[in-house]
Amino acid sequence: MATKSGGIDRVLAKCRACVEGGNFYEAHQMYRTLYFRYKGQKKYTEALNLLYNGSLTLLQHNQHSSGADLAMLMIELLNTAMTPVTDDNIDKVVKLFRAMNPDCQERHQYMVASIRWSTKVDNQQHKLGHPDLHQKIGLLFWEEKNYVQARYHFLHSTDGKGCATMLIEYHLMRGYTSEVDMFIAQAVLQYLCLQNKETANDAFQTFTKNHPQVKRGSPYIHPLLNFIWFLLLALEGGRLTVFTILCEKYETSIKRDPSYKEYLDKIGQVFFGVPPPRAPSQGLIGNLIQSLFSGGDDDEDMMQVSSSSWGSMASSMTTSTREINPVELD
């Protein structure tokens, strides 16, 4: 074991000497040659360490194309060896991503390849990429103040608190005061479309508790926030009647962003068994009402909604929201 480790150390030392001497092409070719040798012998652990250290070394010396090439070979190796998604492997992937120039095309290609790897070796359990990988990529984009990309990756993670904290900064830095509710509303609706109810709730609670422009505690002064709050509560009971009434009462708020209707259609299908819209002219409310009265126990559902709950809910409901142009967040 010590002999193998010593051999790897000597090879890496020779490669680093080439880099430090400015012989970047020679070093790059040496890394590639050794990689294919290790791969042919199925020494995947040695090959992985070689590519990781070689890529990081070249990237740190501003050899972005050569470093990215070795990084892509590392992802290829992870796929070939069906290497599982572990914290250590995610850290390696993200550290190389961090070392790449944000403006280079290879960086995006590497990111896409790494997410595909996390999907492939996970037996398609996370079809859009492993949430832990997305979370760390999201954190990196957040550090770089690339809020659009950070938001995308947080939405595919389970870090609702981190997403909300990022959205607070995003809104304070680049959003309008009148759009504070829309920043979190869209994120929550998208989390729910991805069937990530727990993370959606974490994001909403963190955002509303920590944003300086949001009054703490419900009911909120923003009707859209009240709608999201009630929606999250309605999901716990799974009552289609509650969902339908909420969408009716807050129809004006929902219309502030055309995408909300599409999200709510999907949420209705996923959580309440609402069929997909049959006719574009029918609209969200019409579709919900049709589904509501197509069942046999709707009257029973309605009777089980307590009068005290609806009394407190009705006191906070309003449809008098001001129309504004939403910020494009996607």
Side-chain angles (χ1 to χ4, degrees):
M1 191 72 181
T3 302
K4 288 184 178 180
S5 176
I8 294 174
D9 290 342
R10 285 194 299 272
V11 170
L12 292 176
K14 185 175 181 180
C15 291
R16 281 194 293 268
C18 288
V19 171
E20 292 168 1
N23 300 318
F24 300 118
Y25 177 81
E26 182 180 350
H28 180 212
Q29 294 305 310
M30 187 180 300
Y31 281 121
R32 286 181 62 89
T33 299
L34 289 173
Y35 159 65
F36 286 111
R37 184 180 302 171
Y38 279 138
K39 184 180 179 182
Q41 298 171 355
K42 295 187 177 181
K43 295 181 177 180
Y44 296 136
T45 300
E46 291 88 340
L48 177 64
N49 290 330
L50 178 78
L51 290 174
Y52 170 70
N53 286 284
S55 176
L56 187 61
T57 299
L58 289 171
L59 290 170
Q60 290 173 341
H61 284 79
N62 297 318
Q63 300 301 303
H64 297 289
S65 295
S66 298
D69 175 66
L70 296 184
M72 289 295 290
L73 286 177
M74 187 185 80
I75 299 299
E76 178 185 295
L77 177 65
L78 291 173
N79 280 296
T80 299
M82 291 298 292
T83 308
V85 180
T86 63
D87 290 341
D88 181 61
N89 288 329
I90 288 177
D91 287 342
K92 282 184 170 66
V93 168
V94 175
K95 191 168 184 178
L96 294 183
F97 185 68
R98 179 188 296 274
M100 294 180 187
N101 189 325
D103 298 324
C104 72
Q105 183 178 0
E106 291 88 351
R107 193 191 202 211
H108 177 73
Q109 296 171 343
Y110 170 77
M111 179 187 71
V112 172
S114 66
I115 292 173
R116 287 176 178 169
W117 155 70
S118 74
T119 301
K120 178 180 178 181
V121 301
D122 204 25
N123 295 321
Q124 300 292 323
Q125 182 177 352
H126 301 104
K127 295 183 179 180
L128 298 176
H130 197 283
D132 292 346
L133 178 58
H134 275 296
Q135 190 259 355
K136 293 195 175 183
I137 292 175
L139 285 172
L140 177 54
F141 277 124
W142 182 10
E143 290 177 20
E144 297 174 353
K145 305 305 178 185
N146 188 338
Y147 296 111
V148 174
Q149 285 295 323
R151 183 183 182 282
Y152 171 83
H153 290 285
F154 270 119
L155 284 172
H156 291 85
S157 76
T158 56
D159 186 6
K161 294 179 180 178
C163 180
T165 305
M166 182 276 298
L167 287 174
I168 291 173
E169 181 181 304
Y170 186 13
H171 176 257
L172 293 175
M173 292 286 290
R174 301 183 184 178
Y176 294 107
T177 301
S178 58
E179 295 170 339
V180 59
D181 51 349
M182 301 183 78
F183 269 67
I184 187 59
Q186 188 180 50
V188 169
L189 293 175
Q190 289 176 334
Y191 271 129
L192 294 178
C193 287
L194 293 169
Q195 303 184 43
N196 201 341
K197 182 172 63 174
E198 182 176 348
T199 307
N201 190 67
D202 286 344
F204 182 76
Q205 295 297 330
T206 302
F207 188 93
T208 54
K209 287 180 180 179
N210 295 284
H211 199 297
Q213 296 175 9
V214 175
K215 172 184 170 294
R216 293 187 180 183
S218 55
Y220 304 97
I221 62 173
H222 301 87
L224 186 58
L225 292 183
N226 284 320
F227 170 70
I228 296 297
W229 175 50
F230 287 130
L231 175 61
L232 290 170
L233 292 176
L235 294 179
E236 297 301 321
R239 299 291 183 185
L240 177 59
T241 50
V242 177
F243 181 57
T244 305
I245 294 173
L246 282 175
C247 291
E248 290 176 338
K249 293 293 184 179
Y250 286 96
E251 187 172 10
T252 302
S253 295
I254 292 169
K255 286 182 177 179
R256 289 175 65 190
D257 187 331
S259 66
Y260 293 169
K261 174 186 177 300
E262 298 177 13
Y263 297 144
L264 288 168
D265 279 340
K266 180 65 176 178
I267 291 167
Q269 295 167 37
V270 171
F271 293 99
F272 300 97
V274 178
R278 296 179 181 177
S281 59
Q282 189 174 16
L284 169 65
I285 301 303
N287 186 53
L288 289 172
I289 292 175
Q290 177 184 352
S291 176
L292 176 62
F293 289 103
S294 64
D297 57 348
D298 300 305
D299 291 338
E300 180 181 351
D301 286 348
M302 181 65 79
M303 291 297 293
Q304 292 181 8
V305 178
S306 68
S307 58
S308 60
S309 297
W310 280 109
S312 60
M313 187 178 291
S315 66
S316 301
M317 286 184 174
T318 177
T319 58
S320 58
T321 56
R322 187 162 64 96
E323 297 290 340
I324 61 173
N325 294 323
V327 170
E328 181 61 47
L329 296 180
D330 289 331

